[in-house]
Amino acid sequence: QVQLVESGGGSVQAGGSLRLSCDASQYPYRRHCMGWFRQAPGKEREGVAVVGGDDVTKYADSVKGRFTLSRDNKNLYLQMNSLKSEDTAMYYCAGMPLSWSCPQPGAGIRGWNSWGQGTQVTVSS
């Protein structure tokens, strides 16, 4: 049963912007810890941004000041500005049934037990 569905990926030139969306309307814990992750070819999946039940957001150092996570009652978003070639990856939406003390983006994927299928972002220089 697919509960998280990403969209909005695509190909852009360096310096451009994209907005990713994650339809979480069928995910029962969408107001709990949720996050955006990415995985480049040959690399481990890494956290990009995380939001908790208190709507406090945390970002990986590599995207601070460029990416913004937001959400409404049904969706999770990731606004990506000033994109770089190193941002090229498959981007995933994830959730966990925890409201507080959400893992830091750099803590890996442990504990994140619901995932979308991913949306590809390609940034050309």
Side-chain angles (χ1 to χ4, degrees):
Q1 181 180 1
V2 177
Q3 296 181 317
L4 299 172
V5 182
E6 302 93 337
S7 62
S11 296
V12 295
Q13 290 190 329
S17 298
L18 282 174
R19 188 190 194 210
L20 306 184
S21 297
C22 173
D23 181 350
S25 59
Q26 303 302 310
Y27 182 59
Y29 301 106
R30 59 185 177 274
R31 297 302 302 178
H32 291 55
C33 297
M34 294 202 70
W36 285 99
F37 292 74
R38 66 186 181 187
Q39 187 167 17
K43 294 188 177 181
E44 292 186 351
R45 193 170 297 188
E46 63 176 6
V48 174
V50 170
V51 62
D54 54 2
D55 286 334
V56 172
T57 54
K58 304 171 187 177
Y59 297 93
D61 288 343
S62 59
V63 305
K64 279 181 182 176
R66 301 188 298 121
F67 290 11
T68 302
L69 184 156
S70 62
R71 67 178 169 187
D72 56 29
N73 285 336
K74 294 184 178 180
N75 301 284
L76 191 73
Y77 304 99
L78 187 68
Q79 178 66 43
M80 306 186 295
N81 298 328
S82 302
L83 282 162
K84 305 176 181 179
S85 57
E86 51 262 45
D87 295 319
T88 295
M90 185 72 79
Y91 282 71
Y92 298 89
C93 174
M96 64 166 56
L98 185 70
S99 286
W100 310 106
S101 300
C102 302
Q104 295 283 342
I109 64 173
R110 184 177 180 181
W112 296 93
N113 57 4
S114 294
W115 294 87
Q117 82 289 348
T119 186
Q120 179 68 38
V121 172
T122 302
V123 184
S124 58
S125 56

